[in-house]
Amino acid sequence: MSDAEVAAVSRSAWRFDRPSDEQPSLREVNATIAVPRTGMWLRRLFAFMGPGYMVSVGYMDPGNWATDLAGGAQFGYTLLFVIMLSNLMAILLQALAARLGIATGRDLAQACRAYYPRPVNFLLWVACELAIIACDLAEVIGTAIALQLLFGIPLIGGALITALDAFLVLLLMNRGFRYLEAFVVALLIVIFGCFAVQIFVAAPPAGTILHSMFVPSSEIVTNPAMLYIAIGIIGATVMPHNLYLHSSIVQTRAYDRTDAGKRDAIKWATTDSTIALILALFVNASILIVAAVAFHGTGHQDVAEIGQAFELLSPLLGLSIASILFAVALLASGLNSTVTATLAGQIVMEGFLRLRIPQWARRLLTRGAAIVPVVIVTALYGEKGTAQLLVFSQVILSMQLPFAVVPLVQFVSDKKKMGNFAIPRSVAALAWVVAAIILALNFKLLYDTIAG
């Protein structure tokens, strides 16, 4: 065999060439949305807008509410820096996920299956499934609480009702992926509007907010209680299954599968996700700010449950509809999150296992794994138990982050796998720093937990 042939075989062993038995990610909607090749930049951006907003749903799901409420009530504006930091991490990591999907034609799960040994793949699959169940757990609790606050439905009844959302996702998917995106964006507008009104009424001090957002406090690391919530915020903001999701749904656009077409698609997909995650930053920061204004320093620092916040917001903010807006936003958040969790579950199962099951069955399986602990905890410990379970679910999410972040950064940094689309060394260094921060925070949490 000549040197050229040896080199060709070596390259083929590392390229992201799809084997004959591997299907495109989300094949039923892959490359189904047309994009203009020319025209005004706004028209082209609009064609790519959608995946970023679907990803942003995970960054403002009900799990964020518990950690942000507890952080604002107990520590005022101090943890705004953690929200800002985690959002910047999310912007970087989601851009890398989009790059991987567009450049290689594989989602992150498919890439892991292609290039990791079977035991490693099994471990990564289990970790990702746990993350999806933890996320689903937060959605079940959040939606059940919203239904209770708005309509008086008992928590257990609300949790059981959430099983019906599988049919909502099926209905939207059958009408086309753009309908799914439109549904998500509409609910995001509802969430944004609800918090915009509350922030206007709360009138927080702008100077203090900006200082807290950009200047970190050493107490975040030295105070175990604050660190616990900070890690929960990171876990609730940087969602591990979102990296798998984003690497797949960016491929729904029918961009040219050439180097030039992929490069253009990466640019627009990154712009889309960055704008969407800035919206998520506003929502997350708003939850903490409203909690800080209403509860911190007013004798209500122990408010950590969504039900308590609902009861106190209107009288403390002096706006009669504040509590209703809060609950409506929570319900919209819970409904929205079901869409992304369903898709992420399908992508992970098909990517790691190449196992396709009906979407309704996949959804009910995952949702059942989340409903059961909620029903048990609610029956045994009541609302207080579900509130603690909600915060704990976000810590579980944070613990799963390294299992998604490390493979992603490893793949997009490797020129043998990515070719001309590999990230520059400076970006790779920054991405590894982000991964190191996540790992360090998780090890710190484990040490504090074990040490008592």
Side-chain angles (χ1 to χ4, degrees):
M1 184 180 291
S2 66
D3 291 342
E5 290 172 327
V6 171
V9 171
S10 177
R11 285 194 300 272
S12 67
W14 285 99
R15 283 202 313 264
F16 276 89
D17 294 331
R18 183 182 296 113
S20 58
D21 63 337
E22 182 177 285
Q23 298 293 332
S25 183
L26 287 179
R27 62 180 180 179
E28 62 270 23
V29 292
N30 192 280
T32 57
I33 300 175
V35 296
R37 269 54 175 181
T38 58
M40 294 182 60
W41 69 270
L42 189 61
R43 182 167 170 260
R44 302 188 70 196
L45 174 62
F46 179 77
F48 280 94
M49 290 178 69
Y53 290 90
M54 294 187 69
V55 167
S56 73
V57 167
Y59 295 92
M60 58 183 89
D61 76 339
N64 295 63
W65 294 53
T67 51
D68 291 342
L69 278 174
Q74 292 182 42
F75 309 112
Y77 306 115
T78 305
L79 291 177
L80 278 175
F81 174 79
V82 177
I83 291 179
M84 170 66 82
L85 178 65
S86 60
N87 207 80
L88 292 175
M89 290 180 180
I91 288 173
L92 172 63
L93 294 175
Q94 294 299 160
L96 298 183
R99 175 179 289 265
L100 175 70
I102 293 171
T104 67
R106 278 195 171 112
D107 59 56
L108 181 56
Q110 291 174 328
C112 289
R113 179 184 173 88
Y115 292 99
Y116 285 144
R118 183 171 294 181
V120 174
N121 269 299
F122 181 77
L123 175 64
L124 292 175
W125 171 67
V126 170
C128 195
E129 291 288 359
L130 287 174
I132 292 173
I133 291 173
C135 181
D136 227 36
L137 191 65
E139 293 160 13
V140 169
I141 296 172
T143 305
I145 291 174
L147 291 172
Q148 182 189 52
L149 297 178
L150 290 171
F151 307 111
I153 299 173
L155 281 177
I156 293 179
L160 295 175
I161 288 173
T162 61
L164 300 176
D165 63 29
F167 301 102
L168 171 64
V169 177
L170 284 174
L171 175 65
L172 293 170
M173 283 287 282
N174 288 337
R175 293 185 65 91
F177 203 74
R178 269 302 203 188
Y179 282 90
L180 198 66
E181 292 176 345
F183 174 79
V184 167
V185 171
L187 289 181
L188 287 176
I189 292 173
V190 171
I191 297 169
F192 183 88
C194 289
F195 277 107
V197 172
Q198 292 181 74
I199 286 292
F200 178 78
V201 173
T208 303
I209 289 173
L210 291 175
H211 181 271
S212 299
M213 191 167 286
F214 292 102
V215 181
S217 169
S218 59
E219 192 181 2
I220 295 173
V221 177
T222 58
N223 185 333
M226 191 178 293
L227 178 64
Y228 182 82
I229 295 178
I231 294 175
I233 289 174
I234 293 176
T237 305
V238 184
M239 305 289 279
H241 70 274
N242 262 355
L243 302 177
Y244 293 91
L245 175 69
H246 202 190
S247 62
S248 175
I249 60 177
V250 289
Q251 299 178 54
T252 57
R253 270 50 185 177
Y255 50 84
D256 290 333
R257 263 56 176 181
T258 61
D259 280 4
K262 291 177 180 179
R263 191 169 290 108
D264 191 58
I266 289 171
K267 178 183 70 175
W268 294 116
T270 302
T271 303
D272 168 48
S273 62
T274 301
I275 295 172
L277 289 175
I278 290 174
L279 169 64
L281 171 63
F282 169 82
V283 172
N284 283 329
S286 296
I287 297 170
L288 188 142
I289 290 169
V290 168
V293 171
F295 310 133
H296 187 71
T298 62
H300 300 91
Q301 287 91 335
D302 60 340
V303 171
E305 299 177 17
I306 293 174
Q308 289 178 297
F310 175 83
E311 294 174 359
L312 294 172
L313 269 179
S314 285
L316 291 176
L317 290 181
L319 178 68
S320 59
I321 63 170
S323 294
I324 298 298
L325 291 174
F326 182 82
V328 167
L330 177 62
L331 181 60
S333 175
L335 289 173
N336 238 350
S337 298
T338 63
V339 174
T340 57
T342 299
L343 288 177
Q346 179 182 346
I347 291 162
V348 166
M349 183 167 285
E350 292 180 8
F352 278 114
L353 306 181
R354 293 185 184 170
L355 176 63
R356 289 181 61 85
I357 64 175
Q359 290 185 33
W360 64 266
R362 164 72 209 191
R363 187 60 189 147
L364 291 179
L365 181 66
T366 306
R367 181 49 52 108
I371 290 175
V372 171
V374 173
V375 170
I376 293 174
V377 169
T378 303
L380 294 177
Y381 303 104
E383 294 183 21
K384 187 174 181 62
T386 56
Q388 294 173 345
L389 188 62
L390 190 58
V391 175
F392 182 65
S393 71
Q394 302 313 296
V395 177
I396 293 176
L397 275 173
S398 183
M399 300 301 294
Q400 308 310 315
L401 272 174
F403 296 100
V405 172
V406 171
L408 173 64
V409 177
Q410 182 182 15
F411 287 142
V412 296
S413 303
D414 193 334
K415 289 186 178 180
K416 293 180 180 178
K417 294 181 174 65
M418 296 286 289
N420 295 330
F421 295 100
I423 57 177
R425 289 185 178 180
S426 57
V427 179
L430 180 60
W432 282 118
V433 167
V434 168
I437 291 173
I438 291 172
L439 285 169
L441 288 175
N442 280 283
F443 283 132
K444 170 68 173 172
L445 176 64
L446 278 175
Y447 174 81
D448 289 343
T449 302
I450 294 172

